[in-house]
Amino acid sequence: MTEIFEEQRSMLFGIAYRMLGSVADAEDVLQDAWLRWNTVTTAVDNPAAYLSRIVTNLCLNKLRSAAATRESYVGPWLPEPLLAVPDDASETAEMAESISLGMLVVLESLSPLERAVFVLREVFGYSFEEVARMLHRTPASVRQVGHRARSHVQARRPRFDASDELRRQVTEQFMAACISGDLDKVMSLLAPDVTVWTDGGGKVRAALRPLYGPDAVSRFIAGVIARFEGDIESDLVAVNGRPGVLIASNGRIDTVADFDIVDGKITAIRAIRNPDKLPSP
C-alpha cells in the first residue's frame, strides 16, 4: 500500500495544489488521503484513478469549508509559491503552464466543481467518463462543466511567449533597477498595460487592489523598497517552474514574485508578501 501511494504522490500533490493553491493544504489532503487509502481492504484495479478520486473529493470539501475565509481575505489572493516544482510539471508544456502562478489565479476564479473537472480532464488527461465516476455525476453533466471551465480558462489564461533566458534577463535588470532606485530603467521595462498584484494577507504592507500602469507600479515599488530595513538581497529562483525572484532583508524572506513578460516587457507582476505563504529561510 505504501509503495503504491508513493508512486502516485507527485500526481496527487499536483492535483491538490492546482485545486487549492496552497502547499500546506495540499500536504494536509495527501495525509488524509493516505489514511483513507490504508483502510482499503479489497483489490483496486486502478490505484491512480482511485487515489485521484479520494484527493479530488477531499479538495472539494476543503474548498467548501474555506469559502468564507477566501471571501474575507484582505487584498488580492495569490497562491502559495512553489520553489520546488512537482515532477509532473516537467512532463509537458501544458503541465508546466498549469502550475504557474498566473494559471492558478485563473483556476481560482472557477467554481470548485469547474476547477476539479478542468484539472482532472485538461491537466491530467482523465476522460469525462472517468471524471464523472470520481465526482459521482453523469458524463453529460461533467462534459458540460468541462466545456464551460475550458472556455473560461482560454479567455483568461496569461500569455507565455518569453523564453526562460529572456525572462531571467528582464527579471535581473528589473530587480537591479528597483534596488538601485533607477526609476527610469524600471519604467522602461514595464509594458504600458502592466498590472501588479501584491498579496500581503492584511499582515504586511501591500496594495489592497491591483495596480495598473507603469507610473502607479513604479511609485508603489519605490515606496515599498524605501521601507526596507537593512540590506536588500534579490535572488533569481524558480517560482512554480518559471524564473522569478526571492527578496530578503536582513536574512528574512520578504517577497516571492513572478513576472509575465511579452515582447521583452513586463506585463504582470505577482508579489507574495504574506508571511504565512513564504518559505522558511
Side-chain angles (χ1 to χ4, degrees):
M1 297 291 283
T2 301
E3 183 178 350
I4 292 172
F5 189 89
E6 289 303 320
E7 286 175 354
Q8 306 300 328
R9 175 177 284 277
S10 178
M11 178 194 67
L12 299 175
F13 179 84
I15 292 172
Y17 178 69
R18 287 169 174 87
M19 285 192 63
L20 301 173
S22 165
V23 176
D25 287 346
E27 292 290 359
D28 286 346
V29 162
L30 260 63
Q31 180 63 30
D32 290 343
W34 162 249
L35 294 175
R36 294 195 182 192
W37 175 243
N38 271 279
T39 65
V40 176
T41 57
T42 58
V44 176
D45 292 335
N46 188 339
Y50 189 93
L51 286 164
S52 295
R53 184 186 71 188
I54 293 175
V55 166
T56 299
N57 283 284
L58 286 170
C59 287
L60 288 172
N61 292 338
K62 189 171 281 289
L63 285 170
R64 294 185 190 104
S65 64
T69 302
R70 291 281 175 93
E71 289 175 2
S72 61
Y73 197 82
V74 178
W77 177 92
L78 293 174
E80 182 179 349
L82 271 177
L83 302 188
V85 179
D87 294 338
D88 66 55
S90 63
E91 293 180 3
T92 66
E94 290 76 13
M95 284 286 198
E97 179 187 1
S98 71
I99 206 75
S100 70
L101 290 182
M103 181 58 75
L104 291 175
V105 170
V106 174
L107 294 181
E108 174 72 10
S109 66
L110 299 173
S111 71
L113 178 60
E114 289 172 337
R115 203 177 316 172
V117 173
F118 183 88
V119 169
L120 292 171
R121 168 64 182 162
E122 302 295 333
V123 180
F124 289 92
Y126 285 107
S127 68
F128 284 121
E129 289 72 20
E130 289 173 315
V131 175
R133 287 195 293 272
M134 292 180 191
L135 300 176
H136 307 291
R137 293 175 177 267
T138 66
S141 67
V142 166
R143 192 179 299 273
Q144 184 178 32
V145 171
H147 288 324
R148 185 168 66 242
R150 186 174 185 180
S151 297
H152 180 97
V153 171
Q154 291 284 14
R156 293 165 176 79
R157 70 195 319 151
R159 289 177 59 190
F160 299 100
D161 73 345
S163 67
D164 282 355
E165 181 58 33
L166 177 59
R167 200 180 299 278
R168 279 190 289 268
Q169 290 176 3
V170 173
T171 300
E172 283 183 326
Q173 293 171 15
F174 181 74
M175 291 310 305
C178 288
I179 293 173
S180 67
D182 187 348
L183 290 184
D184 289 338
K185 182 63 174 179
V186 170
M187 295 275 284
S188 73
L189 293 169
L190 298 174
D193 59 347
V194 63
T195 304
V196 171
W197 296 266
T198 55
D199 179 347
K203 300 182 179 183
V204 296
R205 177 179 171 82
L208 296 180
R209 290 179 295 277
L211 301 171
Y212 303 99
D215 184 57
V217 169
S218 59
R219 284 190 286 107
F220 176 78
I221 290 173
V224 170
I225 289 179
R227 288 171 172 78
F228 273 88
E229 297 179 358
D231 294 333
I232 302 174
E233 297 179 8
S234 171
D235 293 318
L236 285 179
V237 294
V239 179
N240 289 52
R242 302 165 64 211
V245 66
L246 184 151
I247 303 169
S249 176
N250 291 335
R252 180 181 63 84
I253 296 174
D254 179 272
T255 303
V256 172
D258 88 333
F259 306 83
D260 289 351
I261 297 171
V262 177
D263 297 329
K265 301 285 187 179
I266 297 172
T267 59
I269 302 173
R270 300 172 194 86
I272 298 141
R273 305 196 68 217
N274 184 341
D276 293 342
K277 297 182 179 182
L278 297 176
S280 301

